[in-house]
Amino acid sequence: MFSEPPPEPSAEDVFEDLSTELTSLQRILKQVPPLAMGATTNTLTAMTAIVAWFLTPSVSRMATLLTVGAAGTFGRQLGRRLTQQRQQVVPAAIGELLREGGLKGVREDDVAMLADRYGLSPEQFELQLKTVYSRFLQALLEEPEDIETAEVASLSQLRRAIGLPWNTTQRVHVEEARLLLDGQPLTSVNGMSPVLKKLLWISMTLFSTSNNQADSAELQKELGIDDASVQQVLNQLSAPLYASAVTQSIVKYNRTQVPQVLQTIRKTLKLDDTGSQEVHNAIYEAQLSLLLPAGSRDSKITESTQQVLGNLEGILQIRAASSMLQSRTVPLYQQAVIEALDSLDSLNGSSFASIWGGLALRQQELALPRDRAKASLIEQARRKATAQLSEAATAQANGELQLAMQRLQQLYDFSSRLGGMLEQSGWERSGISSSSIVEKYLGALSVGPDLETAAQQLAQAVRNSANDELKAGESSIMSMLALSTPGRDSAKQQYTQRLEAILQAADLSDEVGDSLRALRDSLELPSALCEKLALNAYYDWLLDLSEREERGPLENARAVRNCLQIEESSVGELYTNTDVDELVLSKCCQLLRADQFPLTTEATQWLQYIETQLQARPGLAAQVLRNIGT
């Protein structure tokens, strides 16, 4: 008999509770007709006076009259108490009507007749109506985690059925908030209890149906919260309901009808544009995770996939669909890149075309733009090359010179094969050699500060080496060791100072870029080394902005990179290693929230625009918005 839990009580059980809470006397008085009740109270007054007349000794006429008068007064008081007791059964009588007819079946006139039946003035009757409504509201709040529009509908039906005016309804909600606060003021909306949040949500949703006869101003004053905080709670509690409604609407209605249907639902749930867009994005991302599961080697964007995503994007008006899609496809492509780079360790030149063909096919399957694919490949190639260089430098630092040269030879072999593969890519102009490609994309690798001296020793060892293979690859190896090559400190310092001056002056004109190139040529610095120095300056610029109270300069991020001659494919490594793109976007989000909260649609669109200006990791703006809370 205990195999299943008992059914949970519904809010309508409160109507039965009103009856069971009556005293024995009140149950009797509830059945007494109005005329009989009036006669009863008059009879009580007379009977107590008569009894006093017979029981009082006949000492004097005056004493007898006083006794009879006192007895009559007592009788009247007893009668009033009986009347009050009977009036207090009105909530139970209303509850009985509601149990028999249901919230939809009871008419306001039927309830109003109870005022005459029990002899209540309009003011007294309204107090009894408040009791019924308040008890029903409290019953709804007993399950604060359950947020349902049906609860608001039932509360609205009850208000109409019993004829409770909107201004009185509003007061009941304010009094309930005061009761729940228990004299403890809120410090912030984050400190609100679930039951207070539900009360606020129910109140705002219900009041929105009042045709401006009720508003939340008094309730907000009682809670001590502003409009932005109210919207934050509404977005939080309405989001799950809206997500369910979106799914049902997409199934039930055609593509042209859904936007209008969703607009009506948002209005009902008091969900603003920011809150609804968060739900839309979550639904879109959930669909992406189904179509493109993480770690999958087989998932691809087919024609049917594009149709599904395109329809969803149009219906939900996804504003950052491309970025969200790439947040899924880039990791899948990187997985293929890592496998392809590892395969270079064991394959010869005749296989370069097949390896590149596999990557090109994977890029096509994932509908990945060329610039993203290129950036992913270069980032992973530099990561692998840096790891090999660090191994060589570690061996050098430990005095294992032979092992250091072997690791350096492995690095050169990998770089040569990478260059051979990239010759098949079509990324570079016709006729450029594989060694030139290597110097461009793997130049100026950096090791940790503790290995810097060992890296300098490696550079010197390559120059002095009698090994024919190392000598043949000296140009490529020295390019990768450009940061550690001795004798360039002064030139690097001059170039860095020029970069800092450009950023300080904020002059990003073509003339400034030309002068920077001229300085590079005059100092005879490798292009890869100059780009690495420029990336360091760019990082410092971004880091500085992440600590300042201004956002405007970030709109020039792409122009800064162009002026400093930083390839778009080079920033991925910087962002992965430092997370500076996330720092900057988080700071921007904080500044936007300080100006307006919740964030407007325009604010979120601006943040997504900055994501593209930074060439940040795909989907990072959406992630920042989720982390910081909009």
Side-chain angles (χ1 to χ4, degrees):
M1 64 181 293
F2 297 106
S3 59
E4 296 182 359
E8 295 184 4
S10 69
E12 295 184 21
D13 290 340
V14 72
F15 302 142
E16 184 175 352
D17 293 341
L18 290 171
S19 295
T20 58
E21 292 169 3
L22 294 177
T23 64
S24 299
L25 176 60
Q26 286 175 327
R27 290 194 181 94
I28 295 172
L29 294 176
K30 180 174 177 289
Q31 307 303 323
V32 177
L35 292 177
M37 187 65 194
T40 299
T41 54
N42 291 334
T43 301
L44 278 172
T45 302
M47 287 297 295
T48 51
I50 291 171
V51 170
W53 176 271
F54 284 106
L55 295 181
T56 302
S58 303
V59 178
S60 67
R61 178 64 61 184
M62 182 60 67
T64 301
L65 291 174
L66 289 173
T67 302
V68 170
T73 299
F74 174 75
R76 284 193 298 275
Q77 291 176 346
L78 182 58
R80 281 197 297 270
R81 289 176 183 173
L82 289 176
T83 299
Q84 291 172 355
Q85 286 287 316
R86 187 168 184 269
Q87 289 174 348
Q88 290 173 4
V89 306
V90 171
I94 296 173
E96 187 175 312
L97 284 176
L98 293 167
R99 284 204 319 276
E100 293 173 356
L103 291 174
K104 294 182 179 179
V106 173
R107 296 183 306 145
E108 182 180 343
D109 292 343
D110 295 334
V111 176
M113 291 175 61
L114 295 176
D116 294 333
R117 174 180 174 82
Y118 292 98
L120 273 70
S121 67
E123 293 77 13
Q124 291 173 325
F125 189 59
E126 186 171 291
L127 287 176
Q128 305 309 314
L129 297 180
K130 281 181 61 179
T131 298
V132 174
Y133 183 88
S134 178
R135 289 289 298 273
F136 191 78
L137 175 61
Q138 290 168 359
L140 294 179
L141 297 176
E142 287 179 359
E143 298 292 337
E145 304 300 334
D146 294 338
I147 307 296
E148 299 290 343
T149 53
E151 294 179 328
V152 180
S154 61
L155 200 59
S156 178
Q157 290 167 0
L158 173 62
R159 190 200 67 79
R160 289 196 301 270
I162 66 179
L164 189 67
W166 275 112
N167 59 343
T168 307
T169 303
Q170 182 178 307
R171 285 199 300 272
V172 173
H173 286 248
V174 174
E175 290 168 2
E176 185 63 27
R178 186 178 301 124
L179 183 66
L180 291 172
L181 286 171
D182 194 25
Q184 302 295 323
L186 289 175
T187 56
S188 71
V189 68
N190 295 327
M192 287 183 70
S193 64
V195 67
L196 268 178
K197 287 183 177 181
K198 182 172 183 179
L199 173 62
L200 179 60
W201 182 84
I202 286 178
S203 303
M204 295 297 297
T205 310
L206 179 66
F207 294 171
S208 67
T209 66
S210 71
N211 292 325
N212 297 322
Q213 296 181 65
D215 60 60
S216 64
E218 193 174 350
L219 179 60
Q220 287 182 229
K221 182 179 179 181
E222 184 67 37
L223 294 173
I225 56 177
D226 56 16
D227 292 343
S229 298
V230 170
Q231 192 60 59
Q232 183 179 353
V233 173
L234 293 176
N235 287 350
Q236 177 186 352
L237 299 191
S238 292
L241 298 177
Y242 182 63
S244 176
V246 169
T247 304
Q248 295 175 26
S249 299
I250 290 175
V251 173
K252 184 176 181 180
Y253 301 99
N254 63 46
R255 181 177 178 180
T256 58
Q257 293 174 314
V258 173
Q260 186 62 42
V261 171
L262 294 183
Q263 184 177 357
T264 302
I265 295 173
R266 289 195 295 272
K267 183 178 180 181
T268 301
L269 294 175
K270 303 290 288 179
L271 198 68
D272 68 1
D273 286 344
T274 301
S276 62
Q277 195 62 44
E278 287 181 2
V279 174
H280 293 174
N281 289 345
I283 293 174
Y284 191 76
E285 287 181 343
Q287 188 64 48
L288 286 175
S289 67
L290 290 175
L291 297 173
L292 301 166
S296 172
R297 289 179 170 82
D298 303 323
S299 57
K300 62 185 72 173
I301 299 180
T302 62
E303 185 175 343
S304 60
T305 302
Q306 288 178 328
Q307 185 176 2
V308 169
L309 293 177
N311 288 339
L312 201 58
E313 180 183 344
I315 290 172
L316 301 181
Q317 300 176 350
I318 303 297
R319 301 185 179 100
S322 176
S323 177
M324 294 168 67
L325 177 60
Q326 289 180 25
S327 70
R328 285 279 170 180
T329 56
V330 166
L332 294 177
Y333 182 73
Q334 286 179 336
Q335 179 178 318
V337 166
I338 292 171
E339 293 173 357
L341 294 178
D342 288 343
S343 70
L344 288 176
D345 294 335
S346 57
L347 296 179
N348 55 37
S350 61
S351 302
F352 292 157
S354 62
I355 296 175
W356 174 252
L359 283 178
L361 178 61
R362 192 61 179 140
Q363 176 189 344
Q364 184 179 10
E365 289 177 343
L366 296 172
L368 200 62
R370 173 174 166 171
D371 60 337
R372 283 294 183 188
K374 183 177 180 180
S376 296
L377 194 151
I378 299 306
E379 178 183 345
Q380 295 304 323
R382 289 183 64 86
R383 188 179 304 280
K384 183 178 177 70
T386 299
Q388 292 179 334
L389 178 59
S390 296
E391 289 178 2
T394 299
Q396 178 72 30
N398 293 336
E400 301 173 290
L401 305 184
Q402 185 176 358
L403 179 60
M405 291 299 104
Q406 289 175 355
R407 294 289 181 262
L408 207 57
Q409 182 66 53
Q410 291 175 355
L411 171 60
Y412 172 65
D413 291 342
F414 165 71
S415 66
S416 298
R417 291 167 180 169
L418 176 69
M421 185 187 74
L422 291 181
E423 278 187 299
Q424 311 294 320
S425 69
W427 287 353
E428 306 302 325
R429 67 182 184 275
S430 178
I432 188 171
S433 66
S434 62
S435 60
S436 297
I437 294 175
V438 169
E439 292 173 13
K440 178 177 181 179
Y441 293 121
L442 294 187
L445 300 177
S446 57
V447 295
D450 54 329
L451 294 176
E452 185 61 35
T453 300
Q456 291 177 358
Q457 293 171 354
L458 282 176
Q460 191 62 46
V462 170
R463 284 179 173 174
N464 300 333
S465 176
N467 185 299
D468 292 338
E469 291 187 12
L470 286 179
K471 274 296 182 182
E474 181 177 348
S475 176
S476 296
I477 296 174
M478 294 306 295
S479 174
M480 290 184 278
L481 286 166
L483 280 175
S484 305
T485 302
R488 287 180 174 161
D489 291 346
S490 177
K492 289 192 294 185
Q493 184 178 8
Q494 289 183 55
Y495 196 80
T496 300
Q497 289 174 345
R498 179 59 179 150
L499 293 169
E500 293 172 349
I502 291 173
L503 293 174
Q504 183 68 31
D507 183 356
L508 307 175
S509 63
D510 292 341
E511 292 78 8
V512 172
D514 292 340
S515 68
L516 190 62
R517 274 186 288 271
L519 177 62
R520 177 195 66 193
D521 295 340
S522 67
L523 294 173
E524 298 182 350
L525 291 174
S527 297
L529 175 58
C530 290
E531 184 177 43
K532 184 65 177 179
L533 296 175
L535 276 170
N536 292 341
Y538 177 66
Y539 167 76
D540 291 338
W541 179 72
L542 290 178
L543 192 62
D544 180 59
L545 287 175
S546 71
E547 299 172 352
R548 287 161 55 184
E549 304 297 314
E550 59 177 317
R551 340 182 234 109
L554 287 170
E555 297 182 359
N556 296 320
R558 191 183 299 277
V560 167
R561 293 196 301 278
N562 289 339
C563 183
L564 302 187
Q565 294 145 47
I566 298 173
E567 293 276 347
E568 293 295 298
S569 59
S570 301
V571 293
E573 181 186 13
L574 172 68
Y575 294 150
T576 301
N577 291 340
T578 66
D579 289 329
V580 70
D581 53 345
E582 183 176 358
L583 282 175
V584 169
L585 288 173
S586 297
K587 182 63 176 183
C588 287
C589 196
Q590 292 171 4
L591 294 175
L592 289 169
R593 282 184 47 147
D595 294 338
Q596 49 197 355
F597 182 79
L599 294 184
T600 62
T601 300
E602 292 75 14
T604 56
Q605 287 177 331
W606 183 87
L607 197 68
Q608 289 158 357
Y609 168 72
I610 294 301
E611 178 188 84
T612 61
Q613 282 292 308
L614 291 171
Q615 190 76 2
R617 289 166 289 178
L620 189 57
Q623 177 185 320
V624 166
L625 288 170
R626 286 194 300 270
N627 292 344
I628 204 167
T630 56

